[in-house]
């Protein structure tokens, strides 16, 4: 397996009695699927720590998306997490670098998405009036060289939602293998689940976690105005 137990443990951004939040590496699938040999399920034993059993997924991230992934450290915690995500009770923010600049500095993309499956071949997602409701807010944080650094806040949780919505406004994500103008090899998608925040139980502590910028996104983000100094200043501002 490509990751050692120590390497997976080093991805932990937050740990308490109920929840783990991982900095999931880009390219690592969260579960087994056809033609996927390496996935997070193979490493759950390394993430048990002092719990009685292995952690369970509280939600999903695309294989090529990096960043915050929440796991329940018990079946009850995972079920609660799933309900929070499904009910829209989790604050989520994604960073991306796009080829192109949106028509406005901020806005809302409201386009239903439909999944089309070709049995035993492939599937794709596309805007379609018969699809499921899908709403994404966006804000441009910087630009440079015809690219834009965008913060996305999905208000629904459809498969590939941010990626399809970005392409729909003429700003496919850098490294996009499926929804850009040209098919590119997977593994270089510039999409980061930057932050998640939630309260697992009504009177419980607030979990608020931010993922660092992955190495493969740093140069493109810097070209749009991001820097470590910027990130530090924003953290100080709260």
């Amino acid at each position: 397996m490509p990751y050692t137990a120590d390497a997976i443990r080093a991805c932990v951004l937050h740990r308490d009695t109920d929840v783990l939040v991982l900095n999931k590496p880009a390219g690592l699938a969260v579960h087994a699927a056809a033609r996927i040999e390496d996935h997070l399920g193979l490493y759950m034993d390394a993430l048990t720590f002092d719990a009685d059993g292995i952690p369970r997924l509280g939600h999903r991230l695309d294989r090529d998306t990096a960043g915050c992934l929440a796991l329940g450290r018990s079946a009850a915690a995972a079920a609660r997490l799933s309900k929070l995500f499904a009910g829209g009770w989790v604050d989520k923010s994604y960073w991306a670098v796009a080829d192109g600049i949106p028509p406005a500095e901020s806005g809302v993309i409201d386009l239903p998405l439909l999944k089309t499956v070709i049995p035993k071949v492939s599937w794709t997602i596309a805007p379609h009036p018969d699809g499921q409701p899908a709403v994404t807010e966006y804000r441009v944080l910087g630009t440079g060289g015809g690219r834009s650094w965008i913060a996305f806040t999905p208000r629904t949780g459809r498969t590939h939602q941010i990626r399809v919505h970005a392409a729909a406004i003429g700003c496919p994500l850098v490294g996009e293998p499926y929804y850009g103008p040209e098919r590119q090899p997977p593994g270089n998608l510039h999409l980061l689940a930057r932050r998640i925040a939630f309260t697992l139980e009504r009177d419980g502590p607030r979990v608020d976690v931010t993922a660092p910028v992955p190495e493969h996104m740093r140069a493109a983000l810097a070209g749009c105005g991001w820097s470590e100094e910027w990130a530090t200043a924003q953290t100080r501002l709260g």
Side-chain angles (χ1 to χ4, degrees), residues 83-91 155:
K83 289 180 180 179
L84 291 177
F85 277 93
W89 293 101
V90 177
D91 293 331
R155 294 305 179 195

Side-chain angles (χ1 to χ4, degrees), residues 11-174:
C11 293
V12 174
L13 297 171
H14 169 86
R15 185 177 103 200
D16 60 36
T17 56
D18 296 309
V19 173
L20 292 174
V21 179
L22 294 185
N23 180 24
K24 188 191 80 65
L28 179 64
V30 299
H31 51 69
R35 298 187 297 276
I36 292 179
E37 297 181 356
D38 190 39
H39 57 87
L40 185 59
L42 299 174
Y43 306 99
M44 289 300 195
D45 285 342
L47 297 171
T48 300
F49 296 103
D50 55 348
D52 292 333
I54 62 172
R56 298 163 173 83
L57 292 170
H59 63 122
R60 303 288 191 271
L61 284 181
D62 293 347
R63 176 175 56 179
D64 290 329
T65 302
C68 294
L69 177 71
L71 308 174
R73 301 191 68 199
S74 67
R80 178 63 178 161
L81 276 173
S82 294
K83 289 180 180 179
L84 291 177
F85 277 93
W89 293 101
V90 177
D91 293 331
K92 297 177 287 184
S93 178
Y94 289 73
W95 279 6
V97 182
D99 281 317
I101 299 173
E105 290 188 2
S106 62
V108 177
I109 307 166
D110 187 350
L111 287 173
L113 299 179
L114 183 67
K115 183 176 184 177
T116 301
V117 179
I118 303 174
K120 298 183 179 180
V121 178
S122 65
W123 55 268
T124 191
I125 307 291
H128 195 283
D130 294 335
Q132 294 180 300
V135 179
T136 306
E137 298 179 13
Y138 74 87
R139 180 165 58 96
V140 178
L141 301 178
T143 61
R147 287 178 169 177
S148 50
W149 163 26
I150 307 175
F152 288 101
T153 302
R155 294 305 179 195
T156 51
R158 310 304 176 201
T159 301
H160 290 186
Q161 177 175 316
I162 291 173
R163 299 165 64 174
V164 178
H165 275 176
I169 63 170
C171 297
L173 303 189
V174 173

